[in-house]
Amino acid sequence: MEPLSPVLALEQTSQVLGKEPIVPFAILLVILLVVPILFERLRLPGIVGLVLAGLILGPSGWNLFHTESPMIGLLSEIGLVYLMFVAGLEVDLKLWRRQRKRAFGFGCFSFTVPLLMGTVLGRFLNLDWNTSVLLGSLFASHTLLAYPIINRLGVISNQAVTVAIGATVLTDIGALLVLAICVSASQITVLNLSQLFSLLGWLIIYSVAILLGFDWAGKEFFRRSGDDEGNKFLFVLLTVFLATVVAQFIDIEKILGAFLAGLAVNEAVGEGPVKEKIVFVGSVLFIPIFFINLGLLIDLPNLINNLFTLKLTFLIVFGLIASKFIAAWLAKFFYGYSWQEMLTMWSLSIPQVGTTLAATFVGYKAGLLSPAVLTSVIVLMLVTATLGPLLTSRTSVALTTGAVTEPVTSKLPEQQREEIHKSDFTIVVPIYNPHTQPYLIEMAALLASQAQGRIIPLAIASAAAHMDAPQLESSLQRSERLLTKATTQSQVLGVEASPLLRIDDAFAPGISRAAREQKANLIVMGWGKRTGLRARLFGNVIDNVLWSSHCPVAVTRLVESPKKIQRILVPLENLITPTLQPVQFAQMLAEANQAQVTVLNVCDRHTSSSKIASRRSQLALLVSTLALPNSPEIQIIAHENVAQAILQAARLYDLVVLPFNRNRTSPGGLALSDVTTQLASYITCSIVMLGEPQRVQTSTVTTGFSNPTATV
């Protein structure tokens, strides 16, 4: 018997696997796990890999998945709704309000110019008016795919960047409204003026009802439900699907309802564990499957062999990039932005992911967009999702120059030292693991002795239904033993200790509540495992404390006694005042140990020597605003990879102090890696990851350490 050719073998394999519905789902899970990781290692967006995976496994490739599959169709439909809901949920309404006039202006430019460009392009390609306007609306929106980059560089406070972020609200709503009108108009044989006004009237009534009604209902429900995160999570899911059901009843496109629902509950949900869970569920399962389904729809042979499709793809990509450039130039002309700011606004508005793909998919399903247009827009997404963040990473770096904000404090060092004697510097130290407890107490004692404060060793006993339950009694006895050891160690170290035993339902809320009740200035915790499905879905204790804490949280991984620390490294990437808390923390510890602090900044390896000298001067000026008794050493390294540069430098130090950043998702809904966590897995010396409370991260006012010898 002759062996089968590779092509026939693949076809037979796909037919056999296709008969088992559980097999495609298992393959989907493998793709969702592996592909985004591989593409992020290649410094490409994970969504690009998901679309390409759909292309390879779809009709244009292996033909394992089919577009008519009920399972993929259902999951993709949920992913489409979830994608638009998350897009609305991730909109930063505070930034919109802060620069609403200019954000509205740039939003008008960024919406109108691409809309006109796309409409003209559609008419040039002999498309009807309805389809041409819809094509123009696909150009109008943009996805802030590069948000993590500008957040990491610390340039969000730049007015041009804030305006570009705020404009997303207008462009997305405008694009979805045009989509709803075009789809509804396509279902009417003859569209007259009265029908158009009736359609617009229903759209306005529906939008106002969702935005105002769900906003009120969300705030009331969240206020009354207390700390029950499960009910909050279910309520938010109910709002999005209720909005989509109502939209379908009145013949309005459901993705508009999903986006408006996200906007409506935006402030009620806020930044917290509930939002983290909502975004996680979508970004891990439903939204990626939607992108895989888009890859299944790509007609690769038609794209390669059809000259019209190639021409259409080129015109769409060029038209989008050119129209967004014109919109950014208009903003520069009217608002007086610099060329660097204009280029950053342009690069931020280039990526077309969430709203664009959702609207394209809906237009394709409604029969308004041909398969050639669908394929061209998916190619547009692949190009812009790669090009946009790449340009942003290069253009926004220059915005960090001159980003030094107001000094952390206007008080003199002498006045600050007088205040510390009048204040009660308090450090809460949650203890649970007897093996890491000695180093934690020692670290807290060094900081407290420097600030002439006290430490509060805190033990949490898990509550039970009955206060006389044996497991509760056992937990209380264990906690009391840990507190006794902590108190004894504190006395040996010469620091006042006030042990606290608390009975609470969960560790994280117990720590946050106790710290608030004790008016703590700092929480010192041990480093816990942040990987695994449970930690990603529900968050670990550290994550939840960071979300809810009112004060800074120092997460430590100590490999030796803190007393032995003599050289401390503090990497800083964005040169702005709010990033100085790690420097202040490091200096506070250094003074207790007579150690030396080095502040490290990594710049691009092509940076000229004059610019390196300028950055060194800027960083020295920034650090000087802290009025530190002993100035840290300033070090600038030119390197192509920030993480590698930090790892190489860390080999010479006893402790590295890093900012602790929460996992953030882009409005496209796909989770982005936590660089700090990745560094922590490779650094061999001791680490302190300093996490700031949410109000500090989103505020322009620094409320952390005022100086190494003053209150936190």
Side-chain angles (χ1 to χ4, degrees):
M1 183 176 179
E2 296 183 3
L4 295 175
S5 66
V7 175
L8 291 176
L10 281 177
E11 290 181 354
Q12 290 189 3
T13 302
S14 63
Q15 291 174 1
V16 172
L17 294 179
K19 295 178 181 179
E20 295 291 337
I22 198 66
V23 174
F25 186 73
I27 295 175
L28 274 178
L29 294 180
V30 173
I31 294 171
L32 299 183
L33 177 65
V34 175
V35 171
I37 297 176
L38 291 178
F39 273 73
E40 286 176 5
R41 293 282 178 90
L42 298 173
R43 298 187 181 181
L44 293 173
I47 53 177
V48 175
L50 294 173
V51 173
L52 291 180
L55 174 63
I56 294 172
L57 297 177
S60 295
W62 190 4
N63 200 27
L64 178 61
F65 295 154
H66 304 284
T67 55
E68 64 273 9
S69 169
M71 178 195 69
I72 295 180
L74 175 62
L75 294 177
S76 176
E77 196 74 13
I78 296 175
L80 172 65
V81 172
Y82 219 115
L83 173 66
M84 296 314 303
F85 173 69
V86 170
L89 195 64
E90 290 280 9
V91 170
D92 197 329
L93 295 177
K94 292 180 180 178
L95 289 178
W96 160 258
R97 295 191 184 101
R98 192 184 306 168
Q99 297 290 342
R100 56 181 174 271
K101 291 184 179 180
R102 294 198 171 192
F104 181 82
F106 178 64
C108 289
F109 297 145
S110 191
F111 175 81
T112 306
V113 175
L115 177 66
L116 294 175
M117 178 79 78
T119 304
V120 171
L121 176 61
R123 296 300 297 164
F124 174 74
L125 295 171
N126 297 320
L127 303 178
D128 61 66
W129 275 105
N130 196 26
T131 303
S132 298
V133 172
L134 177 58
L135 180 62
S137 72
L138 302 181
F139 287 14
S141 64
H142 61 265
T143 303
L144 292 173
L145 207 61
Y147 186 94
I149 296 174
I150 57 178
N151 184 41
R152 176 170 51 85
L153 293 175
V155 297
I156 292 181
S157 58
N158 182 281
Q159 187 188 87
V161 175
T162 303
V163 166
I165 296 174
T168 310
V169 181
L170 181 64
T171 58
D172 283 357
I173 292 179
L176 291 174
L177 287 175
V178 172
L179 169 71
I181 294 173
C182 290
V183 173
S184 299
S186 67
Q187 299 171 356
I188 301 174
T189 306
V190 179
L191 182 65
N192 54 43
L193 198 60
S194 62
Q195 290 175 318
L196 178 61
F197 279 118
S198 175
L199 177 60
L200 291 174
W202 277 113
L203 278 173
I204 293 173
I205 294 172
Y206 174 78
S207 301
V208 172
I210 293 294
L211 290 174
L212 297 182
F214 281 16
D215 178 55
W216 173 83
K219 290 178 179 177
E220 282 295 309
F221 185 86
F222 272 56
R223 182 176 63 84
R224 295 175 184 273
S225 60
D227 296 328
D228 194 337
E229 295 178 6
N231 284 340
K232 291 179 180 178
F233 178 81
L234 292 176
F235 173 82
V236 173
L237 288 186
L238 176 62
T239 60
V240 59
F241 287 103
L242 182 61
T244 57
V245 169
V246 173
Q248 288 181 306
F249 269 117
I250 59 177
D251 292 328
I252 292 176
E253 187 48 52
K254 58 180 176 291
I255 65 172
L256 173 62
F259 182 79
L260 292 177
L263 281 180
V265 299
N266 189 302
E267 290 187 319
V269 174
E271 297 288 342
V274 175
K275 181 178 179 180
E276 185 86 349
K277 294 176 178 62
I278 293 168
V279 175
F280 172 82
V281 170
S283 63
V284 167
L285 183 61
F286 297 117
I287 296 175
I289 291 178
F290 168 72
F291 286 114
I292 292 175
N293 188 46
L294 284 177
L296 300 179
L297 299 175
I298 297 178
D299 189 352
L300 188 60
N302 184 50
L303 175 64
I304 296 174
N305 301 322
N306 192 317
L307 186 60
F308 172 78
T309 306
L310 289 174
K311 175 184 175 182
L312 175 64
T313 303
F314 172 78
L315 289 176
I316 285 179
V317 173
F318 177 80
L320 180 280
I321 296 176
S323 62
K324 292 297 184 181
F325 183 87
I326 294 172
W329 180 86
L330 288 174
K332 174 186 182 300
F333 177 79
F334 281 97
Y335 300 135
Y337 293 132
S338 66
W339 277 103
Q340 209 66 38
E341 289 173 324
M342 188 215 78
L343 292 174
T344 301
M345 297 176 74
W346 172 55
S347 67
L348 287 173
S349 63
I350 286 178
Q352 305 293 303
V353 181
T355 305
T356 303
L357 289 181
T360 304
F361 184 77
V362 171
Y364 173 75
K365 289 295 184 181
L368 287 174
L369 300 178
S370 66
V373 175
L374 173 68
T375 301
S376 299
V377 174
I378 294 176
V379 174
L380 171 71
M381 183 277 295
L382 297 176
V383 173
T384 58
T386 305
L387 179 63
L390 179 62
L391 290 174
T392 301
S393 64
R394 296 186 178 277
T395 59
S396 59
V397 169
L399 300 184
T400 60
T401 304
V404 180
T405 58
E406 292 297 321
V408 178
T409 177
S410 59
K411 300 175 183 178
L412 296 174
E414 292 78 6
Q415 291 174 308
Q416 293 173 323
R417 291 192 178 92
E418 288 176 4
E419 281 191 3
I420 187 56
H421 294 290
K422 299 176 184 178
S423 65
D424 185 13
F425 186 89
T426 302
I427 303 176
V428 168
V429 189
I431 53 176
Y432 180 80
N433 187 344
H435 299 292
T436 60
Q437 175 179 325
Y439 284 174
L440 281 179
I441 295 296
E442 187 175 318
M443 170 70 77
L446 286 173
L447 297 170
S449 62
Q450 182 62 27
Q452 301 179 6
R454 62 173 182 145
I455 66 174
I456 299 181
L458 172 65
I460 305 292
S462 299
H466 302 284
M467 288 296 103
D468 60 350
Q471 60 268 31
L472 176 59
E473 182 63 28
S474 175
S475 179
L476 288 172
Q477 292 177 0
R478 181 182 184 277
S479 299
E480 288 172 352
R481 289 195 296 270
L482 293 175
L483 289 176
T484 300
K485 292 181 180 180
T487 304
T488 302
Q489 184 183 3
S490 302
Q491 292 174 349
V492 172
L493 296 172
V495 176
E496 177 188 351
S498 304
L500 178 61
L501 175 58
R502 184 186 184 95
I503 301 175
D504 212 300
D505 295 328
F507 286 99
I511 294 170
S512 300
R513 292 164 185 162
R516 190 69 182 90
E517 292 166 357
Q518 298 297 322
K519 298 180 180 179
N521 306 101
L522 177 68
I523 300 174
V524 177
M525 301 179 62
W527 173 255
K529 184 179 180 181
R530 301 186 69 244
T531 57
L533 181 62
R534 178 178 175 83
R536 294 184 65 190
L537 180 57
F538 299 105
N540 66 0
V541 175
I542 296 172
D543 295 333
N544 292 323
V545 170
L546 281 168
W547 278 123
S548 56
S549 175
H550 75 289
C551 63
V553 181
V555 184
T556 66
R557 192 195 70 189
L558 303 171
V559 298
E560 61 179 353
S561 169
K563 289 184 177 180
K564 297 181 180 179
I565 294 174
Q566 293 299 311
R567 291 177 56 82
I568 305 175
L569 178 67
V570 185
L572 290 184
E573 186 173 3
N574 43 325
L575 307 184
I576 56 174
T577 299
T579 65
L580 292 179
Q581 283 218 359
V583 179
Q584 296 161 324
F585 177 91
Q587 190 64 33
M588 191 174 182
L589 181 62
E591 290 193 8
N593 264 3
Q594 300 300 311
Q596 174 63 41
V597 176
T598 299
V599 178
L600 171 68
N601 179 248
V602 182
C603 60
D604 187 84
R605 65 186 183 91
H606 299 296
T607 305
S608 63
S609 57
S610 60
K611 289 186 177 180
I612 291 177
S614 175
R615 290 180 72 88
R616 182 178 288 106
S617 300
Q618 180 188 354
L619 186 54
L621 176 63
L622 182 65
V623 172
S624 68
T625 63
L626 300 177
L628 301 175
N630 300 309
S631 298
E633 177 187 350
I634 306 297
Q635 184 177 0
I636 307 291
I637 295 180
H639 201 281
E640 67 275 3
N641 187 289
V642 175
Q644 291 181 3
I646 295 174
L647 289 174
Q648 292 174 6
R651 298 171 184 171
L652 304 176
Y653 291 85
D654 306 312
L655 174 70
V656 179
V657 181
L658 297 169
F660 190 89
N661 298 319
R662 298 287 294 115
N663 283 347
R664 180 172 178 93
T665 59
S666 69
L670 294 177
L672 298 164
S673 61
D674 186 342
V675 177
T676 301
T677 306
Q678 294 177 356
L679 282 173
S681 62
Y682 292 104
I683 295 176
T684 56
C685 65
S686 297
I687 300 174
V688 170
M689 284 159 284
L690 193 67
E692 301 176 12
Q694 288 299 307
R695 61 179 176 83
V696 175
Q697 293 178 358
T698 58
S699 172
T700 57
V701 180
T702 301
T703 57
F705 301 92
S706 54
N707 79 18
T709 57
T711 56
V712 179

